[in-house]
Amino acid sequence: MSHEPGSIASPGLLPDQAGAPARRGWVLPHPSVHALAGLVALLSLLPLGFVAWVTYDVGWETVRALVFRDRVGGLLVNTALLEATSIPACILLAVSLAWLTERTDLPFARLWSLLSVAPLAVPAFVHSYAWISLVPGMRGLWSATFVSTLAYFPFLYLPVAATLRRLDPAIEDAAASLGLDPWRVFFRAVLPQLKLAIAGGALLIALHLLSEYGLFVMIRFDTFATAIVDQFQSAYNSPAANMLGGVLILCCLLLMGIEGLWRGSERYARVGAGAARPAQRRRLRGWTLPALLLVAGTAALSLGVPFYTLGRWLWLGGLSIWQAGPLGNAFVQTILLSLGGGILATLAAAPMAWLSVRAPGRLQRILEACHYYVGSLPGVVVALALVSITVRLILPLYQTFATLLVAYVLLFLPRAMVGLRASLAQAPVELERAAMALGRTPGQAVRQVTFRLAAPGAAASVALVALGITNELTATLMLAPNGVETLATRFWSLTSEIDYLGAAPYAVMMVVLSLPLTLALHAQSKRTAGQ
Amino acid sequence: MTLLTLDNLSKRYGSAVALSDVSLSIAPGSRTAVVGPSGSGKTTLLRLIAGFETPDAGRIVLKGEVLAQGGMAVPAHKRGIGIVAQDGALFPHLSIADNIAFGFERGTPEREARILELIDMVELDRGMLTRRPHQLSGGQQQRVALARALGRRPRLMLLDEPFSALDTGLRENMRKAVSRVLEAAGIATILVTHDQAEALSFADQVAVLRAGKLVQAGTPRQLYLHPRDREAALFLGDAVLLPAIARGNVADCALGRVAIAAPARQGKVEIMIRPEQIRVVRDDAAPSPAGRVVEVEFSGATSTLAVALDGVALPPIVIKTSSVALPSAGDRVRLDIAGEVHIFGEG
């Protein structure tokens, strides 16, 4: 779970509020900020550089032997099948739900909208845990598609619903006046305008499918992530695992490329000025019951099943499962790691966020791209790179908190950027100048004006990253020092021993910690649409 | 013969009345302007005609076909009525050519030729066909929206403030171009606007809406010179309103004895004089009725004068006049009235 809700906001979705570049060297010495941002960007290139170096190091013959073999072919087929079945299923489900909740007179639309986002609060591997508890025989491609769709469709629902809310209804009126019946209005005028939202959401889900480990292990479906962890557990620094990591990175880059091509460079904003009138909701009439069945069914499968299973295990376990084992210990360690990682990631993102708001330019865009790309890499690849580098070059750092925190920083850098960038944009350089004109020194001006204004955004960044770390499984499994257990890893080791009963409290605590973020995300998507 | 008949249309949103009892008829090939301040219900009226909304009461009949009655309505896509919205509402994901061809029936023969014919009709360069809507200026987008609506050969064209987003100079140009195109195509048009000058110059029938009610409908000349009430008079242009006593064909007021247009009422009345009817003559020895200029505001070709009349307890009357031989504050002037003045029907 390296991509949690916060990574939805990719750089392209953020408004570029910094108008003209600030004058260089006037407010803060930009060269040092550039240097810091450059350092973080270099760090974020580590995983990519590592794979390139390993490929070079082992030689072409070994690469060929390790990559061009049946095992890799089988994993590629599995991955392709998984993407090809899950993505269309997610698109179909998310667009239907978004249209029903935003554009029709469906009863309790606001409630259904909330319930369509809420599955995000349940980590994907808890989804599969819930299903496997209920239907122990689930395995293979179709089960993987089914559970992935339920766990990930909100990533598409959020942007599609927000876009639907923002679309200018005048466009639909125009299409109707040109003789199109309501169905053709939807397919010819509305759907094409959802393309950007669908492309963005689909990419996010596709990357999740590549990086997810726990979900697929539980229903015994082999993907690159599960294969790499398997290899890793048998030999810490095997060229085989590294080569699989290389292929996985190529898959990520391929997906991003496909999305870029599909998205194109088109503009889908409203053309022209003037206030958009709120869209009319279509009457469902006789379709109300089937529509209700769809939304209620989705909620039952994506929320009802996890909550039912967890509730049942808690009921069966009673008080004793809360007292057994290192639950309190795992909770404290999770909180400490999350906060530490959150603060570190926010500090690491700060120079870049500053540059992208105050000194935009070509160099800044390249550096920023580095910050963002690393967040789309699977946790398993980042962890693998860090393990190999520490083992080969700086052994004392192997399996230390420092390495684990670096992994978290890399995985959640984009999330930290999102909140910081937005709040720095709220603190224009003019305010600092005004403070200096009123007698403050440059340092005082930054401290008293900019830091104060950016503080809420920084706090939001810390929280976003911290919640991501709470539910992170793969990298933590691979990198955590001996004896360190988070809620996620403890949950994982219990379920691996088929102790579903004992695992339930850990799952519940992860869900409880994630719920506030999910609700905030839902509220925010409403707000950006001006409601 | 009428093309479109609106019978006692009413529409409310919750407790807010948007339209009440509006009746109007539109002749084939004619141009009608619906004017009113914002919130007067004019856009609602247009949306009812287009079929985007259903009237609560009343009837809409187009060429003998009932489009809406008693809560039932023919949906927009079956009405054959074209509409050009305020900002054009072009499809941002389609090229200009595809936008224009959007409403064509499937398998329209000579699609390309028809697109070229339409883009020529709205006087746009053919090179624009491959562009996207956001690459065009506001005026060009409006022309494309018009071409797109014309592509369906509509029975009626609705224009929803299509010029309001344009610059002043461009606006007049566009208005003339659109009139020309629609006249050549022989399509009856309804224009909704809050700009009275636009309404008066565009239409051969003007309907004034206020608070959801139709105040008055008629030719632009009729409405401008003989408005039903003070609000209508002031909405359609500047006016000087004075109390007067009507006797036969004349009325006595603070400006002396003036001719009245239609001597419908006698005795105490209120008269309306359009400022262009008043000529200001500098005359130090002017006999009564005369006045003294109390304020002069120079603004280029025309200027505004405030004149306090002798011997009446009225606020100074405000007159726009040519800046040639402009009197200065303190000068004594005589006010001559040209033509007949209008008496409001009631009260």
Side-chain angles (χ1 to χ4, degrees):
Chain A
M1 289 294 291
S2 57
H3 306 270
E4 279 301 299
S7 44
I8 282 170
S10 75
L13 297 177
L14 281 175
D16 206 340
Q17 277 137 324
R23 256 191 291 163
R24 271 158 194 263
W26 203 73
V27 176
L28 254 198
H30 281 313
S32 68
V33 182
H34 269 114
L36 286 173
L39 206 66
V40 178
L42 272 182
L43 192 67
S44 61
L45 286 176
L46 261 187
L48 206 57
F50 161 74
V51 170
W53 172 61
V54 164
T55 313
Y56 172 78
D57 191 48
V58 298
W60 177 242
E61 280 311 309
T62 322
V63 169
R64 214 167 58 179
L66 288 175
V67 172
F68 297 97
R69 60 192 171 117
D70 290 351
R71 174 72 174 147
V72 177
L75 290 176
L76 275 177
V77 169
N78 268 6
T79 305
L81 284 176
L82 181 68
E83 301 277 7
T85 51
S86 306
I87 300 286
C90 284
I91 293 176
L92 200 64
L93 185 62
V95 172
S96 311
L97 292 185
W99 188 75
L100 283 174
T101 53
E102 294 300 332
R103 284 314 199 47
T104 67
D105 64 348
L106 184 75
F108 314 113
R110 295 181 74 92
L111 172 73
W112 298 121
S113 155
L114 192 64
L115 291 182
S116 302
V117 180
L120 281 185
V122 182
F125 52 87
V126 175
H127 273 286
S128 59
Y129 156 80
W131 279 99
I132 209 89
S133 310
L134 198 68
V135 191
M138 280 185 99
R139 58 190 302 167
L141 174 67
W142 294 110
S143 301
T145 303
F146 179 72
V147 180
S148 309
T149 304
L150 291 177
Y152 292 130
F153 82 87
F155 282 129
L156 261 162
Y157 174 85
L158 270 172
V160 171
T163 310
L164 267 180
R165 223 172 290 139
R166 230 180 22 231
L167 281 188
D168 184 359
I171 299 264
E172 285 151 71
D173 286 350
S177 79
L178 292 169
L180 266 60
D181 62 52
W183 277 104
R184 288 167 66 210
V185 169
F186 180 79
F187 282 105
R188 287 188 59 195
V190 178
L191 202 55
Q193 298 192 77
L194 298 179
K195 192 168 122 181
L196 281 193
I198 292 177
L203 174 67
L204 201 61
I205 295 178
L207 292 173
H208 269 84
L209 292 175
L210 284 188
S211 57
E212 180 57 40
Y213 164 71
L215 193 168
F216 299 123
V217 170
M218 282 213 190
I219 49 179
R220 301 189 198 163
F221 183 73
D222 279 351
T223 67
F224 280 102
T226 65
I228 291 171
V229 177
D230 278 352
Q231 286 278 352
F232 175 79
Q233 279 165 348
S234 57
Y236 280 91
N237 184 22
S238 75
N242 292 340
M243 282 304 106
L244 287 180
V247 178
L248 186 51
I249 288 188
L250 287 181
C251 289
C252 282
L253 297 178
L254 180 73
L255 284 176
M256 287 191 260
I258 290 174
E259 194 259 0
L261 281 181
W262 191 39
R263 166 196 290 259
S265 57
E266 290 168 11
R267 200 186 102 135
Y268 286 85
R270 287 181 70 219
V271 180
R277 65 171 55 232
Q280 270 183 311
R281 287 178 176 264
R282 192 165 289 285
R283 294 220 183 94
L284 285 172
R285 300 176 203 272
W287 289 97
T288 306
L289 194 63
L292 274 176
L293 281 178
L294 177 68
V295 289
T298 307
L301 295 178
S302 60
L303 285 170
V305 167
F307 280 92
Y308 166 74
T309 318
L310 287 177
R312 195 167 63 106
W313 288 130
L314 288 186
W315 175 256
L316 288 176
L319 261 185
S320 61
I321 53 168
W322 292 91
Q323 289 151 347
L327 181 67
N329 190 28
F331 183 75
V332 171
Q333 283 189 333
T334 304
I335 296 285
L336 287 179
L337 268 178
S338 301
L339 285 181
I343 291 168
L344 208 60
T346 306
L347 287 178
M352 191 63 244
W354 180 281
L355 284 183
S356 68
V357 172
R358 289 291 176 87
R362 192 182 299 161
L363 176 63
Q364 164 268 328
R365 274 202 298 279
I366 294 170
L367 291 179
E368 196 170 349
C370 293
H371 280 64
Y372 278 106
Y373 109 91
V374 70
S376 29
L377 291 185
V380 55
V381 170
V382 172
L384 200 61
L386 288 177
V387 166
S388 306
I389 290 167
T390 49
V391 166
R392 290 199 193 190
L393 300 177
I394 22 180
L395 195 56
L397 281 182
Y398 176 60
Q399 283 209 334
T400 56
F401 276 109
T403 315
L404 185 57
L405 287 176
V406 169
Y408 287 152
V409 167
L410 290 181
L411 285 174
F412 298 115
L413 209 48
R415 285 189 189 208
M417 289 280 292
V418 169
L420 270 183
R421 240 189 84 138
S423 62
L424 274 178
Q426 301 287 311
V429 69
E430 285 74 18
L431 287 183
E432 266 170 39
R433 291 181 185 158
M436 282 185 269
L438 294 168
R440 302 290 189 282
T441 66
Q444 282 173 329
V446 169
R447 272 197 306 282
Q448 295 176 2
V449 177
T450 308
F451 284 2
R452 285 289 288 278
L453 286 171
S461 288
V462 173
L464 271 175
V465 177
L467 279 157
I469 294 173
T470 306
N471 296 333
E472 211 289 331
L473 178 62
T474 334
T476 317
L477 273 181
M478 292 168 72
L479 291 173
N482 280 329
V484 171
E485 277 185 320
T486 64
L487 292 172
T489 57
R490 183 73 196 141
F491 170 85
W492 187 247
S493 56
L494 285 171
T495 52
S496 308
E497 298 156 15
I498 323 288
D499 183 1
Y500 290 165
L501 202 62
Y506 296 91
V508 168
M509 285 170 83
M510 283 187 279
V511 172
V512 167
L513 284 174
S514 309
L515 260 180
L517 172 76
T518 309
L519 297 182
L521 206 65
H522 181 254
Q524 194 202 6
S525 83
K526 293 250 166 196
R527 218 174 23 252
T528 48
Q531 285 185 356
Chain B
M1 126 138 219
T2 58
L3 173 76
L4 177 78
T5 314
L6 309 178
D7 282 339
N8 305 96
L9 284 186
S10 295
K11 175 80 184 169
R12 49 171 60 234
Y13 297 104
S15 62
V17 177
L19 276 184
S20 76
D21 261 348
V22 171
S23 299
L24 192 66
S25 47
I26 310 282
S30 69
R31 290 200 298 264
T32 301
V34 177
V35 276
S38 53
S40 58
K42 50 192 194 306
T43 296
T44 304
L45 182 65
L46 210 66
R47 293 176 62 78
L48 290 180
I49 300 172
F52 303 144
E53 316 237 3
T54 309
D56 297 332
R59 203 160 65 119
I60 303 174
V61 183
L62 179 67
K63 274 192 182 160
E65 180 195 351
V66 177
L67 293 184
Q69 186 171 27
M72 301 297 286
V74 175
H77 65 274
K78 291 184 181 153
R79 291 199 176 186
I81 296 178
I83 182 164
V84 177
Q86 207 165 51
D87 48 22
L90 298 185
F91 301 112
H93 57 288
L94 298 178
S95 69
I96 298 307
D98 289 340
N99 259 289
I100 292 177
F102 191 89
F104 290 4
E105 298 298 331
R106 206 166 296 180
T108 296
E110 294 171 20
R111 181 177 181 274
E112 304 308 315
R114 180 101 179 99
I115 293 175
L116 290 178
E117 181 193 337
L118 285 163
I119 199 158
D120 290 345
M121 208 187 232
V122 296
E123 298 158 12
L124 273 180
D125 190 89
R126 290 180 172 195
M128 289 183 178
L129 284 173
T130 54
R131 296 204 200 158
R132 286 295 175 101
H134 69 269
Q135 295 169 309
L136 266 56
S137 72
Q140 291 167 338
Q141 287 181 19
Q142 292 289 9
R143 285 171 194 254
V144 175
L146 181 65
R148 182 178 69 176
L150 286 171
R152 303 265 309 164
R153 299 196 174 88
R155 300 186 278 185
L156 174 69
M157 182 70 80
L158 307 176
L159 306 175
D160 185 3
E161 307 209 26
F163 315 122
S164 65
L166 307 179
D167 300 335
T168 327
L170 188 61
R171 190 187 292 192
E172 208 173 303
N173 245 330
M174 267 300 288
R175 192 166 66 220
K176 283 186 181 142
V178 169
S179 302
R180 215 163 39 233
V181 171
L182 289 169
E183 186 149 5
I187 298 171
T189 307
I190 302 179
L191 167 76
V192 152
T193 176
H194 59 263
D195 181 341
Q196 40 82 18
E198 192 167 285
L200 294 175
S201 61
F202 177 85
D204 37 44
Q205 175 179 233
V206 175
V208 180
L209 276 185
R210 196 165 62 227
K213 288 202 169 66
L214 183 72
V215 179
Q216 195 175 2
T219 65
R221 208 181 148 71
Q222 217 171 7
L223 260 68
Y224 185 72
L225 295 177
H226 304 292
R228 177 156 300 164
D229 55 21
R230 312 173 56 131
E231 283 97 341
L234 292 170
F235 185 73
L236 293 171
D238 292 333
V240 174
L241 305 169
L242 291 172
I245 309 285
R247 285 194 199 89
N249 288 330
V250 293
D252 290 311
C253 66
L255 294 176
R257 179 156 292 184
V258 293
I260 50 181
R265 299 181 65 225
Q266 299 287 301
K268 279 184 82 167
V269 292
E270 184 170 42
I271 60 171
M272 181 209 74
I273 309 167
R274 291 292 179 192
E276 58 275 12
Q277 287 181 276
I278 303 177
R279 201 159 62 89
V280 181
V281 184
R282 191 151 65 187
D283 187 348
D284 291 337
S288 188
R292 196 169 50 81
V293 176
V294 290
E295 202 182 315
V296 180
E297 192 183 294
F298 176 79
S299 37
T302 59
S303 296
T304 310
L305 299 180
V307 178
L309 297 178
D310 295 340
V312 282
L314 286 173
I317 61 174
V318 176
I319 305 159
K320 278 212 180 72
T321 180
S322 158
S323 292
V324 178
L326 195 65
S328 22
D331 286 355
R332 290 192 57 75
V333 292
R334 196 180 74 221
L335 302 178
D336 292 348
I337 308 297
E340 297 165 329
V341 305
H342 171 67
I343 297 181
F344 290 122
E346 297 296 329

